[in-house]
Amino acid sequence: MHKKTTSRRQFLMTSGAAAAVTSLPLIADSARPNAKQPTLLFCCDFNWARAPGVRASTPEDWAQVDPRKYFDWHREFGVNVMFCQAYCSAGYALYPSKLGPVGTGNAATLFPRLYRLSRDAGMPVWSYFTVGADLFMSREHPEWIVPGTQGSMGHGGFFGPETPRTEKLCARIREFLQEYPVDWLLLDWFVYGALVPNGLAVQPAEFVKEPFTRIIGRPMPATAAEITAEENLKYKRTVLAEQFRALKTAVKETSPKTKIIFNVPYWRVGEELWQDHPMLAQSDGLFAESSDVIVDWLLKVRKPNQMVMTT
């Protein structure tokens, strides 16, 4: 690992890669395929594509992917687990979902075919959902987007955790795990309004009114400037904790053996947003899409049963 702070998305934006290829060794893992060996995960990031430039992928982009060749190539490369998104971050599925758009061509059944190949080979399977963004859903429900975040990272903005987006995401997770009880589920962009924690103040919106009054104890003010720093932190920590519990319940009630891990991402050690937070304490794993200092911190704060994963 290098000392330079970076992420796979920063790499994507600077390299213009057609599809991100990400190496994800697990630093500490109590549930490895082989307890004496690290878990090695290497994958194509189907969330992104090229032409023109780096952009959110579309249902058509992966129509020609051959599942058998994809599987064989990764095994030959040396992975000992298989990874594939359930839903890409633009908001379409790589399996026959009834709850949203589905990829075209081979992409429509890419995950089920990789799942079966992996199970037949005795390999653990990982999958993925994006929590905070969904390009197609943002177009259908712009009223669920945190004001001021429209267009963020090419995905139409970030959803408020307190919106019906969370319920719809939980329904997709249940649908997916009923058919494909994967070993691990990575839940990405677990954020409030920005990829930098506390990077955006709570913005007054219709969906904020009820939870703000319940959590803070006064009516939502007319402007963000009227919300104090202490109220911002308390509000975001609370609604993210409520969203975490909803997502965890959806996973564990549907597939009790499936483990969950969240990508925030972390930017610095001991961020106030995550101090003693349920996500940090109750996830099965902790994910560091960042520097060595973050990895060291997560290794210190992790529970005995939690593994730490890094790119």
Side-chain angles (χ1 to χ4, degrees):
M1 235 176 356
H2 301 291
K3 293 294 181 182
K4 182 179 179 182
T5 300
T6 187
S7 73
R8 75 178 188 270
R9 294 186 182 87
Q10 289 170 332
F11 172 79
L12 268 172
M13 296 306 180
T14 56
S15 68
V21 180
T22 309
S23 179
L24 306 174
L26 304 187
I27 303 300
D29 185 357
S30 60
R32 295 171 177 161
N34 183 331
K36 296 182 180 181
Q37 299 294 328
T39 297
L40 301 175
L41 194 163
F42 195 85
C43 68
C44 171
D45 193 340
F46 290 123
N47 291 330
W48 303 95
R50 285 184 63 183
V54 179
R55 57 171 174 78
S57 65
T58 68
E60 296 75 30
D61 282 318
W62 311 117
Q64 303 303 317
V65 175
D66 184 302
R68 179 84 242 185
K69 291 181 179 178
Y70 185 89
F71 177 82
D72 289 343
W73 187 94
H74 283 80
R75 287 202 75 185
E76 290 171 7
F77 187 82
V79 303
N80 55 13
V81 302
M82 186 56 58
F83 177 97
C84 181
Q85 283 87 347
Y87 264 79
C88 291
S89 57
Y92 64 93
L94 298 180
Y95 70 96
S97 175
K98 297 179 181 179
L99 300 177
V102 177
T104 63
N106 288 347
T109 56
L110 181 58
F111 183 87
R113 294 169 72 183
L114 288 173
Y115 182 83
R116 179 44 50 200
L117 288 167
S118 301
R119 290 306 191 210
D120 289 346
M123 292 180 66
V125 183
W126 286 55
S127 197
Y128 169 106
F129 285 86
T130 304
V131 177
D134 181 318
L135 180 59
F136 295 144
M137 192 178 291
S138 72
R139 292 170 176 170
E140 184 178 358
H141 292 287
E143 73 276 12
W144 298 347
I145 297 296
V146 176
T149 71
Q150 290 83 351
S152 299
M153 297 292 291
H155 282 74
F158 290 110
F159 291 103
E162 61 276 67
T163 68
R165 154 68 177 178
T166 297
E167 182 179 351
K168 288 186 175 293
L169 178 58
C170 287
R172 288 177 174 179
I173 288 172
R174 291 178 186 276
E175 175 196 59
F176 174 74
L177 290 177
Q178 284 172 357
E179 296 295 327
Y180 316 106
V182 295
D183 298 278
W184 282 84
L185 195 63
L186 172 59
L187 297 164
D188 202 6
W189 284 4
F190 183 66
V191 299
Y192 193 98
L195 293 181
V196 178
N198 280 332
L200 183 76
V202 175
Q203 303 296 304
E206 188 63 32
F207 61 76
V208 175
K209 288 182 179 179
E210 183 280 324
F212 190 93
T213 301
R214 170 172 54 83
I215 294 165
I216 303 302
R218 68 181 180 100
M220 180 191 74
T223 67
E226 298 173 79
I227 303 173
T228 69
E230 293 77 13
E231 289 173 335
N232 262 288
L233 184 60
K234 180 179 181 180
Y235 182 84
K236 286 190 278 191
R237 282 176 55 87
T238 302
V239 296
L240 284 166
E242 292 172 350
Q243 185 180 47
F244 167 77
R245 294 187 184 100
L247 294 169
K248 180 183 176 184
T249 297
V251 172
K252 300 300 185 179
E253 285 187 350
T254 310
S255 179
K257 293 183 178 180
T258 296
K259 297 182 182 297
I260 53 174
I261 186 168
F262 287 76
N263 183 29
V264 179
Y266 304 99
W267 287 81
R268 58 183 174 84
V269 170
E271 291 167 352
E272 295 84 356
L273 190 64
W274 305 119
Q275 287 283 0
D276 300 316
H277 196 273
M279 184 278 296
L280 198 69
Q282 299 174 26
S283 296
D284 297 299
L286 305 174
F287 185 101
E289 188 181 330
S290 46
S291 65
D292 289 14
V293 66
I294 298 296
V295 175
D296 292 342
W297 169 58
L298 292 178
L299 286 169
K300 289 178 181 178
V301 302
R302 76 181 185 96
K303 299 294 188 293
N305 63 329
Q306 289 176 318
M307 64 83 164
V308 173
M309 174 181 185
T310 183
T311 54

